[in-house]
Amino acid sequence: MTDISFPEGFIWGTATAAHQIEGGNVNNDWWAWEHDPATHCVEVSGDACDSFNRYPEDIALVAGLGLTSYRFSLEWSRIEPEEGEFSRVALDHYRRMAATCHEHGILPVVTFHHFTHPRWLSRVGTWEAPHAPDRFARFCERATAHFGDLIGLACTLNEPNVVATMGWRHGLFPPGVRDRDRRDAVNEALIGAHRLGVEAIRSGPGDAGVGLTLSMTDYQLQPGGEEWLERLRRPSEDVFLEATAGDDFIGVQTYTRARVGPDGSMGGEEGVPTTQMGYEFWPEALEGTIRRAWDKTGGLPVYVTENGIGTDDDPSRIEYVSRALAGVRRCLDSGIDVRGYFYWSLLDNFEWVLGYGPTFGMVAVDRGSFERQPKPSSAWLGEIARTNGL
């Protein structure tokens, strides 16, 4: 690979999610789900990485590596533990997190919803409840009113397509439904929540750019797969990309590709290695999804809000990111406005139904002591951030 550089002001960051690292989020639907023996969760989140208490250490790690931004999420069930009852203590906590970022010269990128829902909302149907989008907007408004002046960028919903598809189509996330029509209705509710959330966050204070983040796969059409490609991609990506009109950016989150033939997804290709998640090791997928997001949104600025690899082989992590970043550079050379790259994830953390098995982090976490142990890839990515190139 030849040396490549990135535009001045390009943002280099890493990302986490509240339930995956905070620990003790007992009041959301995922805590209930992972403790239900009828589900397929291999273990519970428990204390996770204890980041609710150790966030100053984590933010200092981000800064020490040389990165310029930290993307973290709010835990709705802490901020609004019962419907209409807001916790000043929780709001103050997240304000302190954003302030700590600024103290370290780090841009805080705040995700308002990352997969989990308060139990009071799940009891009435979660996104099937008619008032759910309004309740989400109220939550966004209340949180923004408390610390919007400190938010650098705001993401309304993390991967709403995954929330809908895994929860209402495949039944692997709560509430465990397998119904295409109900998934489609939840898609519409999430789109409504996003639009209302954008308005609420823009009500201020602060002037953060607002968008959503989308899980995108580099769907590669094989002969005879045209009908299946439309069936797979439209409800999982296109309906959300088309709902971003008026947003400030689109967050692209990509890990691999999928070949689509006359019988649907074809699975991995012989000879292509796979990751701990069972995905093909295909870092070039990021370039394809950036290009598609740019085209489908009519040229919205792009942030790569997640990209990474679950592996216990750190040199493979470096190879994966190197090849992915080469694709980002090719997108920039094509005139696509890519403004930043966030590696998923800062820490080895709770990977939902798969528990603590997959290790995406640049930093390992001792499961007993919670000691943070940076991997060589963290210093490598930090040097890229410092030099704005590799």
mmCIF file of all heavy atoms in Angstrom, residues 209-256:
data_model
loop_
_atom_site.group_PDB
_atom_site.id
_atom_site.type_symbol
_atom_site.label_atom_id
_atom_site.label_comp_id
_atom_site.label_asym_id
_atom_site.label_seq_id
_atom_site.Cartn_x
_atom_site.Cartn_y
_atom_site.Cartn_z
ATOM 1 N N GLY A 209 -24.356 19.270 14.428
ATOM 2 C CA GLY A 209 -24.923 18.612 13.268
ATOM 3 C C GLY A 209 -25.632 17.347 13.708
ATOM 4 O O GLY A 209 -25.202 16.665 14.648
ATOM 5 N N VAL A 210 -26.744 17.011 13.037
ATOM 6 C CA VAL A 210 -27.579 15.881 13.456
ATOM 7 C C VAL A 210 -27.787 14.936 12.277
ATOM 8 O O VAL A 210 -28.049 15.371 11.147
ATOM 9 C CB VAL A 210 -28.951 16.355 13.976
ATOM 10 C CG1 VAL A 210 -29.702 15.191 14.628
ATOM 11 C CG2 VAL A 210 -28.803 17.505 14.963
ATOM 12 N N GLY A 211 -27.713 13.645 12.554
ATOM 13 C CA GLY A 211 -27.988 12.623 11.551
ATOM 14 C C GLY A 211 -28.277 11.309 12.219
ATOM 15 O O GLY A 211 -28.361 11.221 13.452
ATOM 16 N N LEU A 212 -28.454 10.269 11.407
ATOM 17 C CA LEU A 212 -28.593 8.929 11.974
ATOM 18 C C LEU A 212 -27.436 8.074 11.484
ATOM 19 O O LEU A 212 -26.733 8.418 10.527
ATOM 20 C CB LEU A 212 -29.939 8.294 11.632
ATOM 21 C CG LEU A 212 -30.359 7.985 10.194
ATOM 22 C CD1 LEU A 212 -29.663 6.758 9.621
ATOM 23 C CD2 LEU A 212 -31.868 7.740 10.136
ATOM 24 N N THR A 213 -27.232 6.937 12.141
ATOM 25 C CA THR A 213 -26.221 5.990 11.692
ATOM 26 C C THR A 213 -26.923 4.732 11.199
ATOM 27 O O THR A 213 -27.924 4.297 11.776
ATOM 28 C CB THR A 213 -25.237 5.627 12.816
ATOM 29 O OG1 THR A 213 -25.847 4.706 13.721
ATOM 30 C CG2 THR A 213 -24.783 6.872 13.571
ATOM 31 N N LEU A 214 -26.400 4.156 10.141
ATOM 32 C CA LEU A 214 -27.053 3.027 9.498
ATOM 33 C C LEU A 214 -26.070 1.884 9.318
ATOM 34 O O LEU A 214 -24.942 2.093 8.855
ATOM 35 C CB LEU A 214 -27.603 3.459 8.133
ATOM 36 C CG LEU A 214 -28.639 2.534 7.494
ATOM 37 C CD1 LEU A 214 -29.921 2.487 8.312
ATOM 38 C CD2 LEU A 214 -28.947 2.991 6.070
ATOM 39 N N SER A 215 -26.505 0.690 9.695
ATOM 40 C CA SER A 215 -25.723 -0.501 9.395
ATOM 41 C C SER A 215 -25.858 -0.798 7.908
ATOM 42 O O SER A 215 -26.969 -1.013 7.410
ATOM 43 C CB SER A 215 -26.233 -1.687 10.216
ATOM 44 O OG SER A 215 -25.567 -2.879 9.833
ATOM 45 N N MET A 216 -24.749 -0.813 7.198
ATOM 46 C CA MET A 216 -24.782 -1.038 5.759
ATOM 47 C C MET A 216 -23.879 -2.207 5.384
ATOM 48 O O MET A 216 -22.787 -2.370 5.940
ATOM 49 C CB MET A 216 -24.370 0.221 4.993
ATOM 50 C CG MET A 216 -25.318 1.393 5.201
ATOM 51 S SD MET A 216 -24.943 2.804 4.124
ATOM 52 C CE MET A 216 -25.390 2.139 2.516
ATOM 53 N N THR A 217 -24.358 -3.006 4.461
ATOM 54 C CA THR A 217 -23.620 -4.139 3.927
ATOM 55 C C THR A 217 -23.316 -3.867 2.467
ATOM 56 O O THR A 217 -24.149 -3.321 1.746
ATOM 57 C CB THR A 217 -24.451 -5.428 4.059
ATOM 58 O OG1 THR A 217 -24.706 -5.682 5.440
ATOM 59 C CG2 THR A 217 -23.725 -6.621 3.460
ATOM 60 N N ASP A 218 -22.132 -4.225 2.038
ATOM 61 C CA ASP A 218 -21.795 -4.085 0.618
ATOM 62 C C ASP A 218 -22.420 -5.268 -0.128
ATOM 63 O O ASP A 218 -21.796 -6.310 -0.316
ATOM 64 C CB ASP A 218 -20.282 -4.062 0.438
ATOM 65 C CG ASP A 218 -19.869 -3.805 -1.007
ATOM 66 O OD1 ASP A 218 -20.719 -3.329 -1.789
ATOM 67 O OD2 ASP A 218 -18.713 -4.099 -1.355
ATOM 68 N N TYR A 219 -23.686 -5.093 -0.521
ATOM 69 C CA TYR A 219 -24.387 -6.144 -1.251
ATOM 70 C C TYR A 219 -23.807 -6.252 -2.660
ATOM 71 O O TYR A 219 -23.822 -5.279 -3.425
ATOM 72 C CB TYR A 219 -25.879 -5.847 -1.331
ATOM 73 C CG TYR A 219 -26.605 -6.028 -0.018
ATOM 74 C CD1 TYR A 219 -27.001 -4.923 0.741
ATOM 75 C CD2 TYR A 219 -26.891 -7.298 0.469
ATOM 76 C CE1 TYR A 219 -27.667 -5.083 1.941
ATOM 77 C CE2 TYR A 219 -27.562 -7.471 1.669
ATOM 78 C CZ TYR A 219 -27.945 -6.364 2.405
ATOM 79 O OH TYR A 219 -28.608 -6.524 3.591
ATOM 80 N N GLN A 220 -23.315 -7.428 -3.009
ATOM 81 C CA GLN A 220 -22.693 -7.643 -4.309
ATOM 82 C C GLN A 220 -23.569 -8.581 -5.133
ATOM 83 O O GLN A 220 -23.729 -9.764 -4.803
ATOM 84 C CB GLN A 220 -21.281 -8.196 -4.120
ATOM 85 C CG GLN A 220 -20.374 -7.225 -3.365
ATOM 86 C CD GLN A 220 -18.962 -7.717 -3.206
ATOM 87 O OE1 GLN A 220 -18.613 -8.827 -3.606
ATOM 88 N NE2 GLN A 220 -18.104 -6.882 -2.615
ATOM 89 N N LEU A 221 -24.146 -8.036 -6.195
ATOM 90 C CA LEU A 221 -25.108 -8.765 -7.017
ATOM 91 C C LEU A 221 -24.414 -9.825 -7.853
ATOM 92 O O LEU A 221 -23.438 -9.550 -8.555
ATOM 93 C CB LEU A 221 -25.845 -7.778 -7.919
ATOM 94 C CG LEU A 221 -26.896 -8.359 -8.867
ATOM 95 C CD1 LEU A 221 -28.030 -9.010 -8.082
ATOM 96 C CD2 LEU A 221 -27.438 -7.264 -9.786
ATOM 97 N N GLN A 222 -24.928 -11.049 -7.771
ATOM 98 C CA GLN A 222 -24.487 -12.153 -8.594
ATOM 99 C C GLN A 222 -25.576 -12.449 -9.632
ATOM 100 O O GLN A 222 -26.717 -12.020 -9.475
ATOM 101 C CB GLN A 222 -24.211 -13.388 -7.727
ATOM 102 C CG GLN A 222 -23.265 -13.146 -6.560
ATOM 103 C CD GLN A 222 -21.892 -12.687 -6.981
ATOM 104 O OE1 GLN A 222 -21.241 -13.335 -7.795
ATOM 105 N NE2 GLN A 222 -21.426 -11.552 -6.434
ATOM 106 N N PRO A 223 -25.260 -13.158 -10.706
ATOM 107 C CA PRO A 223 -26.255 -13.414 -11.756
ATOM 108 C C PRO A 223 -27.552 -14.003 -11.198
ATOM 109 O O PRO A 223 -27.534 -14.959 -10.416
ATOM 110 C CB PRO A 223 -25.542 -14.420 -12.675
ATOM 111 C CG PRO A 223 -24.083 -14.116 -12.495
ATOM 112 C CD PRO A 223 -23.938 -13.742 -11.049
ATOM 113 N N GLY A 224 -28.656 -13.369 -11.569
ATOM 114 C CA GLY A 224 -29.972 -13.859 -11.169
ATOM 115 C C GLY A 224 -30.447 -13.386 -9.813
ATOM 116 O O GLY A 224 -31.517 -13.776 -9.356
ATOM 117 N N GLY A 225 -29.683 -12.506 -9.170
ATOM 118 C CA GLY A 225 -30.040 -12.104 -7.811
ATOM 119 C C GLY A 225 -30.778 -10.785 -7.694
ATOM 120 O O GLY A 225 -30.980 -10.286 -6.579
ATOM 121 N N GLU A 226 -31.224 -10.228 -8.824
ATOM 122 C CA GLU A 226 -31.805 -8.887 -8.802
ATOM 123 C C GLU A 226 -33.015 -8.776 -7.872
ATOM 124 O O GLU A 226 -33.124 -7.827 -7.091
ATOM 125 C CB GLU A 226 -32.209 -8.470 -10.231
ATOM 126 C CG GLU A 226 -31.044 -8.200 -11.153
ATOM 127 C CD GLU A 226 -30.427 -9.470 -11.733
ATOM 128 O OE1 GLU A 226 -30.960 -10.587 -11.467
ATOM 129 O OE2 GLU A 226 -29.415 -9.359 -12.438
ATOM 130 N N GLU A 227 -33.940 -9.720 -7.951
ATOM 131 C CA GLU A 227 -35.149 -9.648 -7.123
ATOM 132 C C GLU A 227 -34.803 -9.762 -5.648
ATOM 133 O O GLU A 227 -35.328 -9.022 -4.809
ATOM 134 C CB GLU A 227 -36.135 -10.742 -7.525
ATOM 135 C CG GLU A 227 -37.430 -10.713 -6.725
ATOM 136 C CD GLU A 227 -38.399 -11.812 -7.133
ATOM 137 O OE1 GLU A 227 -38.189 -12.425 -8.192
ATOM 138 O OE2 GLU A 227 -39.357 -12.057 -6.373
ATOM 139 N N TRP A 228 -33.903 -10.661 -5.317
ATOM 140 C CA TRP A 228 -33.512 -10.837 -3.926
ATOM 141 C C TRP A 228 -32.771 -9.611 -3.397
ATOM 142 O O TRP A 228 -32.933 -9.234 -2.233
ATOM 143 C CB TRP A 228 -32.647 -12.086 -3.770
ATOM 144 C CG TRP A 228 -33.449 -13.284 -3.375
ATOM 145 C CD1 TRP A 228 -33.813 -14.331 -4.158
ATOM 146 C CD2 TRP A 228 -33.999 -13.545 -2.082
ATOM 147 N NE1 TRP A 228 -34.557 -15.238 -3.446
ATOM 148 C CE2 TRP A 228 -34.685 -14.790 -2.167
ATOM 149 C CE3 TRP A 228 -33.991 -12.863 -0.877
ATOM 150 C CZ2 TRP A 228 -35.341 -15.350 -1.076
ATOM 151 C CZ3 TRP A 228 -34.647 -13.423 0.223
ATOM 152 C CH2 TRP A 228 -35.308 -14.646 0.115
ATOM 153 N N LEU A 229 -31.969 -9.000 -4.249
ATOM 154 C CA LEU A 229 -31.239 -7.815 -3.802
ATOM 155 C C LEU A 229 -32.205 -6.733 -3.345
ATOM 156 O O LEU A 229 -32.024 -6.115 -2.281
ATOM 157 C CB LEU A 229 -30.356 -7.292 -4.938
ATOM 158 C CG LEU A 229 -29.528 -6.040 -4.625
ATOM 159 C CD1 LEU A 229 -28.548 -6.299 -3.492
ATOM 160 C CD2 LEU A 229 -28.792 -5.559 -5.869
ATOM 161 N N GLU A 230 -33.256 -6.507 -4.116
ATOM 162 C CA GLU A 230 -34.255 -5.508 -3.748
ATOM 163 C C GLU A 230 -34.967 -5.907 -2.462
ATOM 164 O O GLU A 230 -35.194 -5.070 -1.572
ATOM 165 C CB GLU A 230 -35.263 -5.343 -4.889
ATOM 166 C CG GLU A 230 -36.396 -4.371 -4.595
ATOM 167 C CD GLU A 230 -35.969 -2.920 -4.522
ATOM 168 O OE1 GLU A 230 -34.800 -2.607 -4.865
ATOM 169 O OE2 GLU A 230 -36.789 -2.073 -4.100
ATOM 170 N N ARG A 231 -35.313 -7.175 -2.311
ATOM 171 C CA ARG A 231 -36.030 -7.648 -1.122
ATOM 172 C C ARG A 231 -35.187 -7.501 0.137
ATOM 173 O O ARG A 231 -35.712 -7.215 1.215
ATOM 174 C CB ARG A 231 -36.439 -9.117 -1.303
ATOM 175 C CG ARG A 231 -37.544 -9.332 -2.307
ATOM 176 C CD ARG A 231 -37.819 -10.812 -2.516
ATOM 177 N NE ARG A 231 -38.254 -11.464 -1.287
ATOM 178 C CZ ARG A 231 -38.504 -12.772 -1.201
ATOM 179 N NH1 ARG A 231 -38.331 -13.569 -2.262
ATOM 180 N NH2 ARG A 231 -38.913 -13.296 -0.056
ATOM 181 N N LEU A 232 -33.887 -7.698 0.002
ATOM 182 C CA LEU A 232 -33.011 -7.614 1.163
ATOM 183 C C LEU A 232 -32.652 -6.168 1.506
ATOM 184 O O LEU A 232 -32.650 -5.781 2.676
ATOM 185 C CB LEU A 232 -31.723 -8.406 0.901
ATOM 186 C CG LEU A 232 -31.842 -9.922 0.863
ATOM 187 C CD1 LEU A 232 -30.549 -10.536 0.335
ATOM 188 C CD2 LEU A 232 -32.152 -10.478 2.248
ATOM 189 N N ARG A 233 -32.351 -5.391 0.490
ATOM 190 C CA ARG A 233 -31.758 -4.082 0.729
ATOM 191 C C ARG A 233 -32.789 -2.990 1.017
ATOM 192 O O ARG A 233 -32.525 -2.076 1.792
ATOM 193 C CB ARG A 233 -30.886 -3.697 -0.463
ATOM 194 C CG ARG A 233 -29.949 -2.549 -0.193
ATOM 195 C CD ARG A 233 -28.840 -2.489 -1.225
ATOM 196 N NE ARG A 233 -29.348 -2.320 -2.584
ATOM 197 C CZ ARG A 233 -28.559 -2.292 -3.665
ATOM 198 N NH1 ARG A 233 -27.251 -2.433 -3.534
ATOM 199 N NH2 ARG A 233 -29.078 -2.132 -4.853
ATOM 200 N N ARG A 234 -33.951 -3.072 0.365
ATOM 201 C CA ARG A 234 -34.908 -1.974 0.528
ATOM 202 C C ARG A 234 -35.350 -1.793 1.983
ATOM 203 O O ARG A 234 -35.237 -0.692 2.528
ATOM 204 C CB ARG A 234 -36.104 -2.174 -0.400
ATOM 205 C CG ARG A 234 -37.184 -1.137 -0.150
ATOM 206 C CD ARG A 234 -37.767 -0.530 -1.406
ATOM 207 N NE ARG A 234 -38.415 0.739 -1.073
ATOM 208 C CZ ARG A 234 -37.838 1.906 -1.127
ATOM 209 N NH1 ARG A 234 -36.592 2.014 -1.540
ATOM 210 N NH2 ARG A 234 -38.476 3.013 -0.786
ATOM 211 N N PRO A 235 -35.867 -2.843 2.677
ATOM 212 C CA PRO A 235 -36.325 -2.603 4.054
ATOM 213 C C PRO A 235 -35.198 -2.417 5.053
ATOM 214 O O PRO A 235 -35.411 -1.854 6.131
ATOM 215 C CB PRO A 235 -37.136 -3.855 4.372
ATOM 216 C CG PRO A 235 -36.560 -4.917 3.496
ATOM 217 C CD PRO A 235 -36.135 -4.220 2.240
ATOM 218 N N SER A 236 -34.003 -2.876 4.716
ATOM 219 C CA SER A 236 -32.913 -2.794 5.687
ATOM 220 C C SER A 236 -32.042 -1.556 5.511
ATOM 221 O O SER A 236 -31.353 -1.154 6.447
ATOM 222 C CB SER A 236 -32.019 -4.043 5.592
ATOM 223 O OG SER A 236 -31.359 -4.098 4.340
ATOM 224 N N GLU A 237 -32.070 -0.942 4.334
ATOM 225 C CA GLU A 237 -31.225 0.233 4.111
ATOM 226 C C GLU A 237 -31.963 1.384 3.438
ATOM 227 O O GLU A 237 -31.980 2.507 3.948
ATOM 228 C CB GLU A 237 -29.994 -0.147 3.263
ATOM 229 C CG GLU A 237 -29.018 -1.072 3.972
ATOM 230 C CD GLU A 237 -27.747 -1.300 3.167
ATOM 231 O OE1 GLU A 237 -27.576 -0.681 2.084
ATOM 232 O OE2 GLU A 237 -26.914 -2.109 3.611
ATOM 233 N N ASP A 238 -32.597 1.106 2.298
ATOM 234 C CA ASP A 238 -33.071 2.208 1.447
ATOM 235 C C ASP A 238 -34.126 3.074 2.122
ATOM 236 O O ASP A 238 -34.126 4.297 1.961
ATOM 237 C CB ASP A 238 -33.611 1.653 0.133
ATOM 238 C CG ASP A 238 -32.500 1.101 -0.754
ATOM 239 O OD1 ASP A 238 -31.328 1.154 -0.334
ATOM 240 O OD2 ASP A 238 -32.805 0.603 -1.854
ATOM 241 N N VAL A 239 -35.052 2.451 2.871
ATOM 242 C CA VAL A 239 -36.109 3.264 3.485
ATOM 243 C C VAL A 239 -35.521 4.267 4.477
ATOM 244 O O VAL A 239 -36.080 5.363 4.663
ATOM 245 C CB VAL A 239 -37.178 2.380 4.172
ATOM 246 C CG1 VAL A 239 -37.921 1.542 3.146
ATOM 247 C CG2 VAL A 239 -36.571 1.500 5.260
ATOM 248 N N PHE A 240 -34.400 3.922 5.078
ATOM 249 C CA PHE A 240 -33.763 4.846 6.030
ATOM 250 C C PHE A 240 -32.909 5.882 5.307
ATOM 251 O O PHE A 240 -32.908 7.062 5.688
ATOM 252 C CB PHE A 240 -32.934 4.059 7.042
ATOM 253 C CG PHE A 240 -33.762 3.198 7.946
ATOM 254 C CD1 PHE A 240 -33.890 1.834 7.706
ATOM 255 C CD2 PHE A 240 -34.449 3.748 9.017
ATOM 256 C CE1 PHE A 240 -34.675 1.033 8.529
ATOM 257 C CE2 PHE A 240 -35.235 2.957 9.843
ATOM 258 C CZ PHE A 240 -35.349 1.598 9.591
ATOM 259 N N LEU A 241 -32.197 5.478 4.273
ATOM 260 C CA LEU A 241 -31.414 6.443 3.508
ATOM 261 C C LEU A 241 -32.319 7.505 2.890
ATOM 262 O O LEU A 241 -31.954 8.683 2.824
ATOM 263 C CB LEU A 241 -30.620 5.720 2.419
ATOM 264 C CG LEU A 241 -29.478 4.824 2.915
ATOM 265 C CD1 LEU A 241 -28.922 3.989 1.766
ATOM 266 C CD2 LEU A 241 -28.363 5.644 3.557
ATOM 267 N N GLU A 242 -33.498 7.088 2.460
ATOM 268 C CA GLU A 242 -34.434 8.029 1.847
ATOM 269 C C GLU A 242 -35.088 8.954 2.870
ATOM 270 O O GLU A 242 -35.721 9.947 2.496
ATOM 271 C CB GLU A 242 -35.505 7.254 1.071
ATOM 272 C CG GLU A 242 -34.941 6.543 -0.165
ATOM 273 C CD GLU A 242 -35.888 5.499 -0.737
ATOM 274 O OE1 GLU A 242 -37.025 5.370 -0.195
ATOM 275 O OE2 GLU A 242 -35.500 4.807 -1.691
ATOM 276 N N ALA A 243 -34.929 8.635 4.160
ATOM 277 C CA ALA A 243 -35.551 9.440 5.218
ATOM 278 C C ALA A 243 -34.599 10.466 5.811
ATOM 279 O O ALA A 243 -34.916 11.086 6.827
ATOM 280 C CB ALA A 243 -36.069 8.519 6.324
ATOM 281 N N THR A 244 -33.448 10.665 5.183
ATOM 282 C CA THR A 244 -32.438 11.560 5.750
ATOM 283 C C THR A 244 -32.483 12.966 5.170
ATOM 284 O O THR A 244 -31.615 13.785 5.497
ATOM 285 C CB THR A 244 -31.026 10.986 5.526
ATOM 286 O OG1 THR A 244 -30.804 10.848 4.111
ATOM 287 C CG2 THR A 244 -30.864 9.627 6.200
ATOM 288 N N ALA A 245 -33.464 13.258 4.340
ATOM 289 C CA ALA A 245 -33.545 14.590 3.733
ATOM 290 C C ALA A 245 -33.584 15.661 4.817
ATOM 291 O O ALA A 245 -34.372 15.580 5.762
ATOM 292 C CB ALA A 245 -34.787 14.693 2.847
ATOM 293 N N GLY A 246 -32.722 16.641 4.691
ATOM 294 C CA GLY A 246 -32.648 17.713 5.676
ATOM 295 C C GLY A 246 -31.672 17.453 6.803
ATOM 296 O O GLY A 246 -31.428 18.351 7.625
ATOM 297 N N ASP A 247 -31.094 16.247 6.880
ATOM 298 C CA ASP A 247 -30.108 15.955 7.910
ATOM 299 C C ASP A 247 -28.777 16.625 7.577
ATOM 300 O O ASP A 247 -28.542 17.064 6.442
ATOM 301 C CB ASP A 247 -29.896 14.446 8.043
ATOM 302 C CG ASP A 247 -31.106 13.738 8.631
ATOM 303 O OD1 ASP A 247 -32.084 14.413 8.992
ATOM 304 O OD2 ASP A 247 -31.072 12.490 8.719
ATOM 305 N N ASP A 248 -27.890 16.646 8.562
ATOM 306 C CA ASP A 248 -26.577 17.253 8.363
ATOM 307 C C ASP A 248 -25.529 16.260 7.898
ATOM 308 O O ASP A 248 -24.495 16.658 7.359
ATOM 309 C CB ASP A 248 -26.119 17.912 9.668
ATOM 310 C CG ASP A 248 -27.041 19.036 10.092
ATOM 311 O OD1 ASP A 248 -27.232 19.971 9.295
ATOM 312 O OD2 ASP A 248 -27.600 18.966 11.205
ATOM 313 N N PHE A 249 -25.766 14.971 8.133
ATOM 314 C CA PHE A 249 -24.811 13.944 7.718
ATOM 315 C C PHE A 249 -25.499 12.587 7.760
ATOM 316 O O PHE A 249 -26.587 12.436 8.310
ATOM 317 C CB PHE A 249 -23.573 13.933 8.623
ATOM 318 C CG PHE A 249 -23.852 13.502 10.046
ATOM 319 C CD1 PHE A 249 -23.825 12.163 10.420
ATOM 320 C CD2 PHE A 249 -24.146 14.446 11.021
ATOM 321 C CE1 PHE A 249 -24.096 11.769 11.730
ATOM 322 C CE2 PHE A 249 -24.414 14.065 12.330
ATOM 323 C CZ PHE A 249 -24.396 12.720 12.679
ATOM 324 N N ILE A 250 -24.825 11.592 7.182
ATOM 325 C CA ILE A 250 -25.232 10.200 7.321
ATOM 326 C C ILE A 250 -24.051 9.443 7.927
ATOM 327 O O ILE A 250 -22.900 9.620 7.488
ATOM 328 C CB ILE A 250 -25.657 9.576 5.972
ATOM 329 C CG1 ILE A 250 -26.009 8.090 6.130
ATOM 330 C CG2 ILE A 250 -24.585 9.759 4.902
ATOM 331 C CD1 ILE A 250 -27.247 7.818 6.929
ATOM 332 N N GLY A 251 -24.321 8.647 8.946
ATOM 333 C CA GLY A 251 -23.295 7.817 9.554
ATOM 334 C C GLY A 251 -23.317 6.431 8.942
ATOM 335 O O GLY A 251 -24.320 5.723 9.026
ATOM 336 N N VAL A 252 -22.236 6.037 8.316
ATOM 337 C CA VAL A 252 -22.124 4.723 7.668
ATOM 338 C C VAL A 252 -21.401 3.768 8.609
ATOM 339 O O VAL A 252 -20.322 4.098 9.122
ATOM 340 C CB VAL A 252 -21.375 4.845 6.327
ATOM 341 C CG1 VAL A 252 -21.072 3.469 5.743
ATOM 342 C CG2 VAL A 252 -22.193 5.673 5.341
ATOM 343 N N GLN A 253 -21.999 2.587 8.812
ATOM 344 C CA GLN A 253 -21.416 1.579 9.710
ATOM 345 C C GLN A 253 -21.365 0.250 8.959
ATOM 346 O O GLN A 253 -22.396 -0.347 8.670
ATOM 347 C CB GLN A 253 -22.252 1.491 10.987
ATOM 348 C CG GLN A 253 -22.421 2.878 11.603
ATOM 349 C CD GLN A 253 -22.907 2.904 13.025
ATOM 350 O OE1 GLN A 253 -22.784 3.940 13.692
ATOM 351 N NE2 GLN A 253 -23.453 1.820 13.550
ATOM 352 N N THR A 254 -20.154 -0.187 8.651
ATOM 353 C CA THR A 254 -19.972 -1.315 7.749
ATOM 354 C C THR A 254 -18.893 -2.249 8.276
ATOM 355 O O THR A 254 -17.859 -1.798 8.779
ATOM 356 C CB THR A 254 -19.580 -0.811 6.340
ATOM 357 O OG1 THR A 254 -20.608 0.040 5.854
ATOM 358 C CG2 THR A 254 -19.371 -1.966 5.374
ATOM 359 N N TYR A 255 -19.134 -3.551 8.099
ATOM 360 C CA TYR A 255 -18.189 -4.566 8.539
ATOM 361 C C TYR A 255 -17.810 -5.562 7.449
ATOM 362 O O TYR A 255 -16.720 -6.109 7.473
ATOM 363 C CB TYR A 255 -18.746 -5.301 9.759
ATOM 364 C CG TYR A 255 -18.862 -4.395 10.968
ATOM 365 C CD1 TYR A 255 -20.031 -3.695 11.228
ATOM 366 C CD2 TYR A 255 -17.783 -4.202 11.815
ATOM 367 C CE1 TYR A 255 -20.128 -2.836 12.304
ATOM 368 C CE2 TYR A 255 -17.862 -3.348 12.905
ATOM 369 C CZ TYR A 255 -19.047 -2.664 13.135
ATOM 370 O OH TYR A 255 -19.135 -1.808 14.199
ATOM 371 N N THR A 256 -18.746 -5.826 6.503
ATOM 372 C CA THR A 256 -18.465 -6.873 5.530
ATOM 373 C C THR A 256 -19.360 -6.715 4.307
ATOM 374 O O THR A 256 -20.109 -5.748 4.187
ATOM 375 C CB THR A 256 -18.646 -8.264 6.174
ATOM 376 O OG1 THR A 256 -18.120 -9.278 5.304
ATOM 377 C CG2 THR A 256 -20.114 -8.557 6.456
#
